Amino acid sequence: MNGEKLYVLDDLSFFTVFFANLLGFVFSIYLLKTGIKKVHIYFILTVYFVNSALMSDNAILFLIFWGLSGLMLYLYGVIREEAAAISKKALLISGISDALLIFAFLIIISSTGLPLRMSGSPIGINGGWIVTAFIFIALASFAKAGAFPLHTWVPEYCEKSILESTFLLPASLDKLMGIYLFARLFMNFITPSEVLKIVMALLGALTIIAAVMMALIQHNGRKLLGYHAVSQVGYMVLGVATGNPIGIAGGLLHMVNHSIYKSGLFMGMGNVESQSGTSELEKIGGLSKKMPVTFIGTLVCSFSISGIPLTNGFVSKWLVYQGVLIAIASSGYMLGVLYMICLVLALFGSALTFASFMKFIYSSFLSKRPKRLDGVKEVSIVRQIALSINAGLCLMIGIGWRFFPLRFIDRILPVKQITPVGFYSSPELLSVIVLSLLFGGLIYLIFKRVRFDEAFVGGQKDSASFKISGVDFFNEVEEMPPLKSIYTAAENKWFDAFELLKAGARNLAIPLRKLHTGELSFQLVWIVIGLFVFLFVMARGG
């Protein structure tokens, strides 16, 4: 193509490719015990398509591999018959993102007169068409990553598709690709106006709070994790949308962190499902002693997604919050108020995430174990290793984030070094926690005053009939008058952009069906009429 580079490995590509392949390595360990042969073939193809898209510098080449990765989402889904319908929906939404990207790239190419490169210099907002291109690319990245308003395929797909596809695509690699494109939009395609920045930030904040409220009331473990896979994208979008180095650093770091802890959570849920035969939270419980490695790994990943200090999730959220604070300080009054709303929603969403995972961990591992699960054992060693690697990365990045991966991100941004505004010292906090544990252990060794006894409920020995179900923790939230109507509307898919578009298309087709009898001769008449209309428009344009 006239000496143009087809592939490039600049700092952003290298950062994303590195973690995509690190996760791919962990997934390959977990998949060693997968008996479905198609999964191994699809896994190799998926990693190839994702790597090729992330390294493509030519826009056409990027579009090809972007579309092929969306096709893999469909192929994984149809392995299970019950996931066929949602797989078609995911494929159609992926097709919408492809179409949006094609239109956006054509607009940019026609506006600049130059071939579009993924690593090129951004152009300024110049007219409505460039704004349209910006919105189209943003929506395409939202569709891939699973952000509002093109998010509704994610929870259902996570619930019904095979486990291997959930932690491979919606939980990790799709997030990397979607936010990679969103970051490219801000850094290499179009310099957004302040209005576009705040619109994107508000969509990110809305994604956080809407999805976490839906996660709070779920009774299926997979679907709960699916809604959180949507909610966490909001932090990434919010961070990048601030447009300042600390916010973008937080968004990119959260992109990686989410892929690590969320794939770990799906592995943990998959381990429980494979041993118990279900992902319904009310049908499981008390598995912490039966599956200790799965419990500890899932607990660490739960702490991470909830933003508990010394985990990677806390660090990236902390940077996103600082990015929003900088945006508040550097914006005018009205924009500052809107950014403040975004910050409040993000903080509230983090608190609700913690509450949601209290429910998840209690229901899966700490509640009374049903008799039928007394014979449950830990999963195979390779699956324990895969989950342990993810949990270890959550802690390693949470403690040593300044050295890895922040130094990667420093090279991506147009500043020499990211310097957080607030104070947070991982070594000092770690020292306090270690000393507290040592002091507590010393007290136990000296006094040994710990009593173990059976639990009693109203004088009766504890049994499964007295089980307190974790799924009922937040049922009252769904019945609150201000929220009940919103939850009902969500169940009826009033907030599902895809379903609304589909219903609109059906209504639009009703009068068209009356104008078409289906006969071949009548079809030829419409073809001729269409040809005359086309020629008339072309002649007027000439």
Side-chain angles (χ1 to χ4, degrees):
M1 295 188 179
N2 300 325
E4 179 190 348
K5 290 183 179 179
L6 296 180
Y7 296 96
V8 68
L9 201 61
D10 62 2
D11 293 327
L12 179 57
S13 290
F14 179 80
F15 173 75
T16 318
V17 167
F18 177 85
F19 281 100
N21 285 279
L22 177 62
L23 289 165
F25 169 71
V26 179
F27 299 159
S28 67
I29 297 174
Y30 194 91
L31 293 176
L32 287 174
K33 286 295 181 178
T34 298
I36 307 173
K37 293 181 180 179
K38 287 182 180 179
V39 170
H40 297 279
I41 298 171
Y42 292 166
F43 170 71
I44 295 170
L45 290 173
T46 301
V47 173
Y48 171 71
F49 293 150
V50 169
N51 277 319
S52 298
L54 294 175
M55 291 189 292
S56 295
D57 196 34
N58 178 271
I60 296 175
L61 206 60
F62 176 83
L63 276 168
I64 291 171
F65 291 116
W66 175 277
L68 288 172
S69 68
L71 177 62
M72 298 312 300
L73 193 71
Y74 171 76
L75 293 177
Y76 274 113
V78 293
I79 291 177
R80 290 182 70 179
E81 186 176 348
E82 56 266 41
I86 188 60
S87 299
K88 291 177 184 177
K89 180 176 179 178
L91 181 64
L92 286 171
I93 291 178
S94 178
I96 291 172
S97 75
D98 295 344
L100 291 173
L101 274 183
I102 291 171
F103 284 125
F105 287 172
L106 287 174
I107 290 170
I108 295 174
I109 291 170
S110 63
S111 300
T112 61
L114 299 171
L116 180 62
R117 295 174 56 241
M118 302 300 292
S119 60
S121 300
I123 59 176
I125 294 291
N126 185 19
W129 282 113
I130 297 298
V131 173
T132 303
F134 181 95
I135 294 171
F136 280 3
I137 296 174
L139 288 175
S141 66
F142 287 0
K144 179 67 76 173
F148 183 87
L150 297 173
H151 65 289
T152 51
W153 64 274
V154 177
E156 293 180 63
Y157 189 91
C158 290
E159 178 188 11
K160 296 178 181 178
S161 185
I162 61 171
L163 171 75
E164 292 82 358
S165 67
T166 58
F167 65 69
L168 181 63
L169 286 169
S172 55
L173 297 185
D174 272 353
K175 298 289 183 289
L176 291 176
M177 290 185 68
I179 301 303
Y180 164 82
L181 177 63
F182 192 64
R184 285 284 188 204
L185 173 61
F186 273 71
M187 299 167 62
N188 297 105
F189 291 163
I190 300 170
T191 303
S193 64
E194 293 302 318
V195 173
L196 283 176
K197 286 181 183 178
I198 192 60
V199 169
M200 295 297 113
L202 286 169
L203 285 174
L206 182 61
T207 298
I208 293 170
I209 199 67
V212 78
M213 290 297 292
M214 291 301 297
L216 205 62
I217 63 169
Q218 298 305 315
H219 293 189
N220 182 280
R222 283 216 210 177
K223 199 167 185 179
L224 182 148
L225 294 178
Y227 274 110
H228 279 295
V230 174
S231 177
Q232 296 301 301
V233 177
Y235 290 98
M236 308 171 207
V237 172
L238 177 58
V240 174
T242 62
N244 60 66
I246 291 183
I248 294 175
L252 291 175
L253 183 57
H254 202 69
M255 170 188 76
V256 168
N257 289 343
H258 174 271
S259 298
I260 294 170
Y261 60 63
K262 183 49 65 67
S263 58
L265 287 167
F266 272 110
M267 288 179 186
M269 186 69 249
N271 291 351
V272 170
E273 183 181 335
S274 66
Q275 301 303 91
S276 65
T278 182
S279 60
E280 297 296 330
L281 296 178
E282 64 262 35
K283 296 180 181 179
I284 54 181
L287 296 176
S288 57
K289 291 184 178 179
K290 295 288 185 178
M291 306 175 69
V293 176
T294 296
F295 169 59
I296 294 172
T298 306
L299 183 65
V300 170
C301 292
S302 296
F303 283 164
S304 185
I305 193 174
S306 302
I308 302 300
L310 290 183
T311 63
N312 58 349
F314 170 82
V315 174
S316 50
K317 286 183 179 181
W318 181 62
L319 290 174
V320 169
Y321 298 152
Q322 290 194 66
V324 179
L325 287 171
I326 292 172
I328 293 170
S330 60
S331 301
Y333 176 76
M334 280 304 300
L335 290 180
V337 170
L338 293 175
Y339 276 118
M340 182 62 74
I341 293 172
C342 292
L343 180 61
V344 171
L345 291 176
L347 289 167
F348 189 50
S350 189
L352 290 179
T353 299
F354 181 68
S356 183
F357 276 92
M358 286 175 59
K359 166 183 173 176
F360 178 77
I361 291 294
Y362 175 82
S363 298
S364 303
F365 298 101
L366 301 178
S367 62
K368 189 69 177 177
R369 184 174 62 250
K371 284 286 185 183
R372 71 179 186 86
L373 299 181
D374 284 346
V376 166
K377 296 180 180 179
E378 186 61 273
V379 292
S380 63
I381 188 66
V382 293
R383 294 196 167 186
Q384 294 179 49
I385 290 171
L387 177 55
S388 299
I389 292 173
N390 273 30
L393 286 170
C394 289
L395 295 174
M396 185 183 77
I397 295 175
I399 295 169
W401 59 280
R402 287 181 181 273
F403 303 98
F404 176 82
L406 192 62
R407 291 191 177 182
F408 278 99
I409 300 174
D410 280 339
R411 297 172 55 184
I412 298 171
L413 300 170
V415 292
K416 292 184 177 179
Q417 187 175 10
I418 297 297
T419 305
V421 178
F423 172 78
Y424 170 66
S425 174
S426 298
E428 290 182 15
L429 183 57
L430 179 62
S431 300
V432 171
I433 292 174
V434 170
L435 287 173
S436 300
L437 292 174
L438 290 175
F439 186 65
L442 185 62
I443 292 175
Y444 170 74
L445 291 174
I446 293 173
F447 296 102
K448 294 185 178 178
R449 297 273 182 181
V450 179
R451 175 182 172 181
F452 296 93
D453 207 344
E454 292 185 15
F456 288 84
V457 180
Q460 300 291 325
K461 283 191 175 183
D462 191 16
S463 66
S465 60
F466 296 115
K467 178 181 177 180
I468 300 173
S469 175
V471 298
D472 299 326
F473 277 7
F474 306 111
N475 282 352
E476 292 80 5
V477 173
E478 194 173 2
E479 297 300 322
M480 289 181 180
L483 299 176
K484 187 174 181 179
S485 57
I486 298 176
Y487 278 121
T488 301
E491 290 176 3
N492 293 330
K493 301 185 183 299
W494 288 5
F495 306 126
D496 190 333
F498 177 82
E499 294 295 334
L500 292 175
L501 286 172
K502 187 168 72 172
R506 285 176 178 172
N507 292 331
L508 186 63
I510 291 173
L512 295 178
R513 289 196 190 104
K514 294 179 180 179
L515 294 174
H516 200 303
T517 63
E519 296 177 5
L520 181 59
S521 57
F522 205 70
Q523 186 171 349
L524 290 173
V525 170
W526 280 112
I527 291 174
V528 172
I529 293 173
L531 180 60
F532 276 116
V533 171
F534 176 75
L535 292 173
F536 176 77
V537 171
M538 292 295 292
R540 295 270 297 184

